[in-house]
């Protein structure tokens, strides 16, 4: 079974390290994993042109449709974002909007397992709101959302501002790893 990890940061920073740490746990458990940083992709806005109402296509010419095809092949998706003004990054939100073809053409993410990771510079800087925003996107795709386990949070949440800070947040990284273990547990039940 395959798990796709997405980082919604504009840079190769804390979110990336958290998503990769979660994927490492899943790889150790025997899952196939793939990492994608949205920072490396050209992502234009959804303009509500309606093209995806009739076919699995998009009028925007960029990197998004290729990524949507990869998402279709995953059994689980872990999406991470930095906290930006108590919400997901604009890059991740733009990408979420562009996933409309997946929903319109047969609810293609339905029943895939989904989990969320968030990092913010402040301890209570809105990371839970970010996780909730990611969960909402997953629920609109009829995915099966999981949180973490044992640490009893909503997903993986770290505090960090400078590059590498998240990895130093031991409590936060435990929630990241437990989120990955919860994804593994859910996939185990499905498989
Ligand atoms: C425009 C902007 C807005 C931010 N807003 C918040 C915020 O609301 N709460 C918070 O805790 N951190 C905030 N931060 C800090 C980032 O979430 C933090 O630096 C994070 O580690 C960045 O993740 P990255 O390294 O994956 O890009 C903000 C940073 C920027 C640049």
């Amino acid at each position: 079974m395959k798990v796709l990890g997405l980082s919604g940061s504009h840079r190769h920073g804390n979110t990336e390290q958290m998503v990769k740490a979660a994927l490492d746990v899943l790889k150790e458990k025997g899952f196939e994993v793939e990492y994608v940083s949205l920072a490396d992709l050209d992502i234009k806005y959804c303009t509500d042109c309606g093209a995806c109402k009739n076919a699995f296509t998009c009028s925007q010419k960029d990197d998004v449709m290729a990524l949507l095809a990869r998402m279709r092949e995953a059994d689980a998706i872990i999406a991470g974002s930095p906290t930006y003004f108590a919400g997901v990054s604009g890059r991740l939100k733009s990408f979420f909007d562009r996933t409309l073809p997946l929903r319109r053409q047969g609810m293609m993410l339905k029943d895939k397992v989904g989990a969320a990771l968030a990092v913010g510079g402040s301890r209570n800087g809105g990371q839970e709101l970010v996780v909730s925003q990611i969960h909402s996107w997953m629920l609109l795709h009829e995915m099966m959302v999981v949180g973490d386990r044992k640490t009893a949070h909503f997903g993986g949440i770290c505090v960090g501002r400078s590059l590498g800070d998240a990895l130093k947040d031991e409590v936060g990284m435990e929630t990241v790893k437990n989120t990955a273990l919860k994804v593994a547990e859910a996939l185990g039940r499905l498989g």
Side-chain angles (χ1 to χ4, degrees):
M1 296 181 107
K2 185 172 168 185
V3 182
L4 178 67
L6 295 177
S7 164
S9 173
H10 305 286
R11 60 184 191 172
H12 297 281
N14 291 306
T15 309
E16 172 161 293
Q17 289 175 333
M18 291 164 67
V19 174
K20 284 185 171 173
L23 292 180
D24 283 348
V25 170
L26 286 150
K27 198 174 172 183
E28 251 177 52
K29 290 265 170 200
F31 293 95
E32 189 187 336
V33 299
E34 184 183 0
Y35 172 71
V36 174
S37 168
L38 299 189
D40 297 329
L41 304 184
D42 177 24
I43 301 170
K44 297 187 167 65
Y45 297 120
C46 172
T47 59
D48 200 4
C49 71
C52 62
K53 278 183 188 159
N54 305 314
F56 187 62
T57 187
C58 183
S59 60
Q60 295 282 30
K61 299 299 164 232
D62 56 13
D63 296 324
V64 170
M65 284 307 292
L67 179 52
L68 300 194
R70 279 146 86 187
M71 289 165 81
R72 285 174 72 178
E73 280 160 24
D75 299 290
I77 297 171
I78 298 177
S81 180
T83 305
Y84 271 20
F85 284 92
V88 297
S89 69
R91 182 178 293 267
L92 186 58
K93 182 62 173 75
S94 298
F95 175 68
F96 281 170
D97 294 346
R98 293 286 306 286
T99 61
L100 191 55
L102 290 168
R103 190 180 142 86
R104 280 192 168 153
Q105 293 302 315
M107 212 57 99
M108 292 169 171
L109 299 186
K110 182 174 155 56
D111 294 342
K112 294 183 192 295
V113 173
L117 310 176
V119 58
S122 306
R123 179 152 304 281
N124 298 304
Q127 291 93 323
E128 286 190 13
L129 297 169
V130 170
V131 163
S132 171
Q133 198 177 349
I134 294 171
H135 285 170
S136 295
W137 167 75
M138 291 174 167
L139 290 170
L140 281 164
H141 279 289
E142 295 191 17
M143 292 175 67
M144 297 194 288
V145 171
V146 298
D148 62 349
R149 59 173 214 178
K150 290 186 181 166
T151 32
H153 289 92
F154 303 102
I157 289 181
C158 284
V159 181
R161 196 170 292 275
S162 304
L163 295 178
D165 278 354
L167 288 183
K168 296 181 208 147
D169 176 7
E170 283 180 27
V171 175
M173 287 309 293
E174 202 190 342
T175 67
V176 170
K177 287 174 185 161
N178 280 338
T179 301
L181 289 171
K182 192 71 192 177
V183 169
E185 205 176 287
L187 286 174
R189 282 171 195 269
L190 291 174

